[in-house]
Amino acid sequence: MSSCECCHSTVGIISPKESVIMMISSAIWMTAHSKLFFLVVVVFHLLLCCVSVRVCVEGGGMRSWRWQFSRMMRLCLRWCRLCPKRGGRPSKPQRKLRELWSYWKLLLNSLYFNSLTNSDTCLDCVFEPVYWIVDNVTRWFGVVFVCLVIALTSSVLVIVYLCLLPVILNTYPLQWIVWHLTYGHWVLMMVLFHYYKATTTSPGHPPQVKSDTPSVSICKKCIVPKPARTHHCSICNTCILKMDHHCPWLNNCVGHFNHRYFFSFCLYMTMGCMYCSVSCKDMFIEAYNAVESYYETPPPLFSFREKMVHKSVIFIWVLTSSVAVALGGLTLWHAILITLGETSVERHINKKEVRRLKEKGKVFRNPYHYGKINNWKVLFGVEETSHWLTRVLLPSSHTPHEDGLVWEFPQALTRRDPMTI
């Protein structure tokens, strides 16, 4: 009797080919059942296959068990292969698997697909937890930054009044004493006024109820109409009229109604820091040399008060010089934006529009650019010549020209810049 006849005549023993077929059918069946049961079935069929190969070998078959095992592996690879043979059609199990995969893929796409979905939207979704952490940390650290500004400004005032002012009153000529007292206190008054107004004044918000205010889009977060130049602040979690940016040093957004206060604070704080840095230069050099002499042998005889004055002068000069450089660069950047009639947010938007229209052979014109001088008048609310003194050089709480909802060219101004529209 041949080996194959021996295998088929034995009760309860199946051929290797049949066991492999059963194993592949179990693989197809696995798509709807648990993986654990599938593994049990596969192991069971492999044992059956090994038993059948063993029986065939013991029955005196001409083919060895290695040939039977290699034949079994070839059948497995042929059945598990997803691609059909060249020039042939896919088998029925393969078609079923492909249909099942296409169905689940379509179902998955239907759950999140949106006609507005693009790569930017996907990146926003991926980094949404990071944005949430940054927004909340910035929101809570805003209070810390405001306290830090108050503490540093107070420390500078204490050092000036206790260490520098007595030197000015005792050693400087009368005209320089009057200059320092007048200019220093004027800058201090402007810094304190504009910082208080910038932190406490609301930047302005669009109406939350239905109104006749013209809008250009709908906010995806607030689900309310957004007027022109309005943007959503993720830190404040609301829409801001003419939003420039969220300033953590103010713990407030810079928008339509406090943009003037923010820029004035930056300007006068830069002027005050430059004033302190230049005025203290000689005293800083003297104090630095005195501190260096502490390590000489024998050390010079300085009292505790003199040492504190030396260290205080060095502290105030380093602090004011650093702030003057950093804040001066920020002030210069915002001055350029104001001259062009843009905000920080609109700067990025307009750059994209310039590139987009340039590819079409068109030129972009900023509709909110009223002219270089007129842009400054709109920001400071200057309508008459006397307003440069009463509204710019002195503290003033006047409101801007417009309400931030509708943007039209102010009637009190004269358009002179031919490049504007």
Side-chain angles (χ1 to χ4, degrees):
M1 183 183 295
S2 65
S3 59
C4 295
E5 292 176 355
C6 176
C7 291
H8 289 289
S9 62
T10 307
V11 179
I13 303 300
I14 60 176
S15 65
K17 184 175 181 179
E18 292 176 349
S19 63
V20 172
I21 294 175
M22 294 176 65
M23 182 178 64
I24 299 304
S25 63
S26 299
I28 299 174
W29 185 81
M30 182 270 295
T31 57
H33 295 78
S34 64
K35 294 183 178 180
L36 180 61
F37 187 76
F38 165 73
L39 292 176
V40 174
V41 173
V42 169
V43 171
F44 176 73
H45 285 305
L46 286 176
L47 291 175
L48 288 179
C49 183
C50 293
V51 171
S52 62
V53 170
R54 181 65 178 174
V55 170
C56 291
V57 173
E58 292 178 351
M62 297 180 63
R63 299 224 169 92
S64 65
W65 64 274
R66 292 186 179 86
W67 182 89
Q68 297 288 349
F69 184 75
S70 62
R71 178 64 177 171
M72 178 188 67
M73 295 305 297
R74 285 196 297 270
L75 289 175
C76 290
L77 292 175
R78 184 178 299 176
W79 275 87
C80 294
R81 213 168 34 178
L82 293 178
C83 299
K85 291 183 179 181
R86 183 177 300 178
R89 298 180 60 185
S91 60
K92 187 175 181 180
Q94 292 176 353
R95 290 198 301 270
K96 291 291 184 180
L97 287 175
R98 290 186 179 182
E99 291 176 0
L100 188 63
W101 168 252
S102 301
Y103 170 75
W104 283 105
K105 187 177 179 180
L106 177 62
L107 181 63
L108 183 62
N109 289 334
S110 64
L111 294 177
Y112 70 88
F113 180 76
N114 192 310
S115 59
L116 301 178
T117 301
N118 52 26
S119 59
D120 295 336
T121 304
C122 295
L123 286 177
D124 289 340
C125 294
V126 172
F127 286 98
E128 186 66 26
V130 179
Y131 297 150
W132 183 88
I133 294 174
V134 172
D135 293 343
N136 284 271
V137 169
T138 305
R139 184 181 306 156
W140 287 105
F141 268 83
V143 180
V144 178
F145 290 156
V146 171
C147 295
L148 185 61
V149 171
I150 296 175
L152 293 177
T153 306
S154 301
S155 65
V156 171
L157 293 178
V158 170
I159 294 174
V160 168
Y161 279 104
L162 295 182
C163 302
L164 304 183
L165 190 59
V167 176
I168 294 175
L169 295 177
N170 294 329
T171 60
Y172 281 32
L174 180 61
Q175 63 272 18
W176 283 108
I177 294 176
V178 174
W179 156 255
H180 284 291
L181 291 178
T182 304
Y183 181 80
H185 286 88
W186 171 69
V187 171
L188 175 62
M189 176 184 62
M190 299 299 287
V191 167
L192 296 179
F193 172 79
H194 287 103
Y195 186 72
Y196 173 77
K197 297 295 290 184
T199 55
T200 57
T201 302
S202 173
H205 310 286
Q208 301 295 316
V209 296
K210 186 177 180 180
S211 62
D212 296 333
T213 303
S215 59
V216 296
S217 62
I218 300 295
C219 179
K220 299 178 182 179
K221 301 294 182 66
C222 300
I223 317 299
V224 295
K226 285 200 307 183
R229 312 187 80 176
T230 300
H231 302 280
H232 185 87
C233 176
S234 58
I235 300 175
C236 298
N237 197 25
T238 184
C239 288
I240 306 298
L241 298 177
K242 191 195 169 187
M243 179 180 175
D244 189 274
H245 70 286
H246 184 93
C247 181
W249 299 101
L250 303 178
N251 195 27
N252 195 8
C253 264
V254 178
H256 178 62
F257 291 102
N258 65 347
H259 192 189
R260 176 175 67 89
Y261 297 130
F262 164 76
F263 179 79
S264 298
F265 164 72
C266 293
L267 177 63
Y268 288 113
M269 178 62 83
T270 302
M271 294 171 59
C273 290
M274 293 176 63
Y275 162 73
C276 291
S277 178
V278 174
S279 301
C280 298
K281 185 186 69 171
D282 295 334
M283 299 180 65
F284 164 75
I285 296 175
E286 181 181 351
Y288 183 81
N289 294 331
V291 172
E292 286 291 324
S293 66
Y294 291 172
Y295 305 99
E296 295 179 357
T297 305
L301 298 177
F302 289 112
S303 63
F304 176 77
R305 184 179 183 279
E306 291 176 336
K307 291 182 178 180
M308 290 300 298
V309 170
H310 295 158
K311 296 178 181 179
S312 299
V313 170
I314 294 176
F315 168 77
I316 189 176
W317 189 87
V318 172
L319 176 63
T320 55
S321 300
S322 303
V323 174
V325 173
L327 192 59
L330 179 65
T331 305
L332 181 61
W333 166 249
H334 280 279
I336 295 174
L337 294 179
I338 294 171
T339 304
L340 299 177
E342 297 176 331
T343 62
S344 300
V345 177
E346 293 171 351
R347 180 65 173 176
H348 299 286
I349 298 175
N350 292 347
K351 287 178 66 176
K352 293 181 180 179
E353 285 296 310
V354 169
R355 290 195 298 266
R356 186 181 66 86
L357 294 178
K358 187 176 180 181
E359 295 176 354
K360 297 182 179 181
K362 300 180 180 179
V363 179
F364 173 77
R365 299 289 180 86
N366 182 11
Y368 311 112
H369 181 31
Y370 305 133
K372 296 179 180 180
I373 302 299
N374 288 336
N375 290 335
W376 287 97
K377 290 182 178 181
V378 170
L379 176 71
F380 289 117
V382 174
E383 300 176 358
E384 301 176 0
T385 305
S386 60
H387 288 168
W388 289 105
L389 173 63
T390 58
R391 295 187 174 186
V392 179
L393 299 180
L394 293 176
S396 176
S397 299
H398 66 278
T399 58
H401 282 292
E402 304 291 342
D403 57 2
L405 301 176
V406 179
W407 292 91
E408 297 178 355
F409 185 79
Q411 299 296 328
L413 303 181
T414 303
R415 191 188 298 271
R416 296 179 180 179
D417 193 343
M419 294 302 294
T420 60
I421 60 173

